[in-house]
């Protein structure tokens, strides 16, 4: 386990956690908080705190924090807002320095909640206690099997992508996130009574296990100048993807209703500063996760020249429009590549870029391995920086109506396609695919490709937009 010289390290790497408000009742939200730690095999010690239980999920329970005669690195408080100050007072008496407050009802909870929010913040500062939240879930650290979540987490996929959120919107998506992205750490900053976006960015900057940072921000609570100066420094070393919500007056009011903070940033100014700092801005939730996937799986291309491979002329036109719209160019494939590809051409000449592989594939279905070995010439071409390709068709659907043994044939065909695409990716340049059928039959192949760092996007537009972001980041890092 790597340690980071930053106060947040005790939140991400605690050796012991006290769960205040733990319960044996599976019909209460708090049940999953402890259960996830037990099920996932959290590597530290867990101390459930509940005055009415002696044992919770096989663990000895304690009536109060002050009854626990063991050191505690992190307290997770999941009691109602009005009881939270009592937990904070116990933390101070016990010398606990790190607290996560899960409950809502603070700055978003009217005058009484706002007063409570101020009092909690002031008490924490007086007693040297760092607080994550209130109104938060997390932290998550896949390397020590730590996840504070209301949802049943089935598995964790470990990688170099770390998230910071200012909302719990991601929590119901936890299993989708872990199925599609290789995550290192996650933090929900909640109402930011203490820990804010500057702290999160500082920590992820220092953390050697974090390779890509993705942040959701509704409003800046830390010093804006500090944040943007830090962002400029961090972006030179690690890609930072930012989803800024609360961009409109109505959106800002909506954000205030659940975090109590009104976003005061001018969106145009915010956007311009992000560009200067080299951060990558996502315009919506889908784009946020898609950009996170692209940066997690791929290194930026060495230039803007794309090779587009489609299965139909119409898809080629749409991809061409996207390429133009996002400031990318078409690679001019050389004569050697043309000579190699000609082996799989139909009886007439076809353009090399966009390359209509569909018409070529029709004549080579019985030797799909040989077909893709020829296609290898495209990424190997010195004029190509990145290949964007429509996903080859799967044969699983057709096999159901085919001859006996059709399923095995289809599986073998699909396996060969995946193997060939991995070989194309092995050339060392980004290879990105987009869905063809948009049906469930493509899911299995997409999962297998993405497990080999070949991202699959819903359309050529979204695939090319991701390439454009990778290319802009390359240009920024090169000082352009």
């Amino acid at each position: 386990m790597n340690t980071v010289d930053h106060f947040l390290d005790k939140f991400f790497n605690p050796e012991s956690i006290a769960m205040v408000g733990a319960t044996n009742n599976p019909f209460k939200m708090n049940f999953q908080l402890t259960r996830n730690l037990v099920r996932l095999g959290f590597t530290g010690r867990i101390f459930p705190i509940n005055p009415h239980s002696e044992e919770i999920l096989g663990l000895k329970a304690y009536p109060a924090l002050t009854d626990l005669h063991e050191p505690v690195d992190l307290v997770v408080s999941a009691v109602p807002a009005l009881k939270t100050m009592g937990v904070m007072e116990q933390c101070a008496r016990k010398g606990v320095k790190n607290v996560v407050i899960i409950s809502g009802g603070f700055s978003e909870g009217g005058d009484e909640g706002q007063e409570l929010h101020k009092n909690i913040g002031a008490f924490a500062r007086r007693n040297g206690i760092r607080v994550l939240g209130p109104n938060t879930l997390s932290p998550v650290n896949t390397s020590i099997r730590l996840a504070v979540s209301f949802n049943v987490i089935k598995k964790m996929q470990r990688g170099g992508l770390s998230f910071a959120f200012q909302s719990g919107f991601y929590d119901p998506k936890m299993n989708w996130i872990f199925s599609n992205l290789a995550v290192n750490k996650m933090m929900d900053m909640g109402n930011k009574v203490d820990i804010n976006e500057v702290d999160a960015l500082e920590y992820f900057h220092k953390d050697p296990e974090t390779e890509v940072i993705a942040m959701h921000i509704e409003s800046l609570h830390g010093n804006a100048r500090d944040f943007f100066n830090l962002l400029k420094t961090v972006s030179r070393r690690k890609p930072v993807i930012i989803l800024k919500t609360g961009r409109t007056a109505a959106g800002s009011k909506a954000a205030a209703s659940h975090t109590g903070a009104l976003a005061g940033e001018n969106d145009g100014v915010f956007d311009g500063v992000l560009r200067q700092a080299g951060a990558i801005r996502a315009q919506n939730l889908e784009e946020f996760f898609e950009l996170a996937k692209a940066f997690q799986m791929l290194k930026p291309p060495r230039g803007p020249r794309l090779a587009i491979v489609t299965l139909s002329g119409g898809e080629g036109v749409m991809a061409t429009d996207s390429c133009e719209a996002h400031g990318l160019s078409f690679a001019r494939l050389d004569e050697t590549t043309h000579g190699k590809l000609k082996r799989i051409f139909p009886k007439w000449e076809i353009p090399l870029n966009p390359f209509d592989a569909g018409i070529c594939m029709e004549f080579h279905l019985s030797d799909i391995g040989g077909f893709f070995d020829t296609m290898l010439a495209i990424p190997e071409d010195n004029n190509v920086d990145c290949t964007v390709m429509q996903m080859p068709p799967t044969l699983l659907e057709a096999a159901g109506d085919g001859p006996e043994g059709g399923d095995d044939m289809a599986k073998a065909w699909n396996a060969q396609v995946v193997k060939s695409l991995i070989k194309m990716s092995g050339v060392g340049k980004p290879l990105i695919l987009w869905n063809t059928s948009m049906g469930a039959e493509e899911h299995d192949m997409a999962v297998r490709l993405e497990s080999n760092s070949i991202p699959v996007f819903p359309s050529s537009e979204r695939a090319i937009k991701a390439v454009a972001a990778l290319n802009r980041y390359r240009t920024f890092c090169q000082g352009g």
Side-chain angles (χ1 to χ4, degrees):
M1 180 179 71
N2 288 305
T3 57
V4 179
D5 183 18
H6 192 279
F7 78 89
L8 277 177
D9 206 53
K10 280 295 181 188
F11 284 81
F12 285 117
N13 289 299
E15 292 179 10
S16 55
I17 293 179
M19 188 68 71
V20 183
T23 175
N24 273 317
N25 186 343
F27 294 101
K28 290 190 172 179
M29 295 292 281
N30 286 359
F31 178 74
Q32 295 301 342
L33 296 173
T34 310
R35 189 168 182 244
N36 273 322
L37 296 177
V38 173
R39 283 182 69 252
L40 293 170
F42 168 58
T43 57
R45 290 167 296 165
I46 308 166
F47 303 116
I49 308 294
N50 186 317
H52 308 295
S53 301
E54 294 183 354
E55 185 178 296
I56 292 175
L57 291 165
L59 302 167
K60 175 177 168 52
Y62 299 82
L65 266 176
T66 44
D67 294 315
L68 176 58
H69 303 298
E70 300 275 354
V72 175
D73 284 342
L74 181 65
V75 165
V76 177
S77 174
V79 299
L82 291 175
K83 294 185 176 179
T84 301
M85 184 56 88
V87 175
M88 292 293 290
E89 289 166 354
Q90 288 188 51
C91 287
R93 288 202 292 278
K94 190 168 170 54
V96 173
K97 295 298 180 188
N98 308 295
V99 178
V100 177
I101 300 177
I102 290 179
S103 318
F106 291 87
S107 55
E108 81 284 17
D111 292 343
E112 187 182 14
Q114 287 170 15
E115 188 64 23
L116 199 50
H117 182 96
K118 285 180 194 169
N119 292 340
I120 291 280
F123 183 87
R125 285 190 291 277
R126 283 199 306 275
N127 290 278
I129 299 173
R130 303 309 304 254
V131 178
L132 181 62
N135 196 15
T136 183
L137 288 160
S138 75
V140 171
N141 182 356
T142 55
S143 68
I144 60 167
R145 321 296 296 166
L146 164 66
V148 175
S149 170
F150 280 147
N151 286 279
V152 179
I153 299 178
K154 295 174 183 171
K155 64 175 183 179
M156 301 173 96
Q157 184 184 177
R158 186 179 174 187
L161 174 61
S162 289
F163 287 101
F165 295 98
Q166 193 183 344
S167 163
F169 75 79
Y170 71 91
D171 197 54
K173 300 176 175 59
M174 286 288 258
N175 286 307
W176 177 88
I177 290 172
F178 282 124
S179 296
N180 290 275
L181 299 167
V183 175
N184 195 270
K185 297 179 178 72
M186 299 171 82
M187 167 176 280
D188 173 6
M189 298 170 284
N191 292 11
K192 301 182 183 176
V193 70
D194 173 27
I195 295 168
N196 61 43
E197 64 283 341
V198 180
D199 302 312
L201 189 59
E202 272 178 358
Y203 182 83
F204 290 148
H205 180 210
K206 290 184 173 183
D207 179 21
E209 294 182 341
T210 293
E211 297 166 357
V212 178
I213 302 165
M215 302 185 80
H216 160 248
I217 295 172
E218 287 184 350
S219 57
L220 295 177
H221 283 224
N223 182 288
R225 190 177 294 277
D226 288 349
F227 179 72
F228 287 118
N229 285 337
L230 179 61
L231 189 59
K232 198 180 293 183
T233 301
V234 178
S235 294
R236 296 275 176 201
R237 290 188 56 212
K238 303 178 181 184
V240 183
I241 299 149
I242 294 185
L243 173 64
K244 173 73 170 67
T245 52
R247 298 188 295 186
T248 62
S252 178
K253 278 183 74 175
S257 71
H258 81 94
T259 64
L262 200 63
E265 303 82 21
N266 176 294
D267 194 61
V269 173
F270 190 88
D271 195 59
V273 176
L274 285 191
R275 272 204 303 276
Q276 286 176 30
I280 302 106
R281 183 166 187 179
Q283 296 300 324
N284 53 51
L285 188 60
E286 291 78 11
E287 199 172 296
F288 180 63
F289 286 120
E290 287 176 1
L291 289 174
K293 177 168 73 174
F295 278 88
Q296 177 223 310
M297 293 186 181
L298 300 171
K299 297 295 181 193
R302 64 183 185 183
R305 302 169 300 178
L306 302 192
I308 304 288
V309 180
T310 73
L311 298 182
S312 79
E315 290 271 9
V317 175
M318 286 186 267
T320 301
D321 284 342
S322 297
C323 223
E324 183 84 10
H326 294 293
L328 298 167
S329 60
F330 276 84
R332 187 183 293 274
L333 275 61
D334 66 26
E335 282 305 313
T336 305
T337 304
H338 177 251
K340 291 177 181 175
L341 291 177
K342 209 166 168 54
R343 297 175 204 153
I344 56 173
F345 272 19
K347 290 182 180 175
W348 58 92
E349 195 72 18
I350 61 171
L352 287 181
N353 196 12
F355 182 69
D356 187 349
I359 190 66
C360 301
M361 198 181 291
E362 287 180 27
F363 305 102
H364 298 278
L365 287 175
S366 60
D367 181 20
I368 200 66
F371 177 83
F372 276 103
D373 281 347
T374 304
M375 292 273 291
L376 207 53
I378 294 176
E380 286 177 341
D381 191 303
N382 284 331
N383 295 323
V384 172
D385 297 318
C386 174
T387 302
V388 185
M389 184 174 180
Q390 191 172 3
M391 202 160 155
T394 64
L395 289 188
L396 288 177
E397 287 293 303
D401 299 326
E404 191 174 344
D407 282 347
D408 291 340
M409 286 173 57
K411 285 177 184 171
W413 198 90
N414 292 339
Q416 181 59 57
V417 170
V418 171
K419 186 177 172 185
S420 297
L421 291 170
I422 292 170
K423 199 171 175 182
M424 287 178 75
S425 166
V427 171
K429 300 174 186 175
L431 172 65
I432 299 180
L433 275 72
W434 78 86
N435 289 116
T436 294
S437 73
M438 301 172 76
E441 68 277 5
E442 286 185 332
H443 177 72
D444 180 58
M445 186 181 283
V447 169
R448 289 155 75 186
L449 290 170
E450 292 196 336
S451 69
N452 286 281
S453 296
I454 302 173
V456 180
F457 293 87
S459 67
S460 60
E461 158 73 19
R462 285 156 74 167
I464 289 169
K465 204 167 184 180
V467 177
L470 286 162
N471 188 56
R472 281 198 306 278
Y473 182 65
R474 172 193 62 80
T475 305
F476 169 78
C477 289
Q478 291 175 346

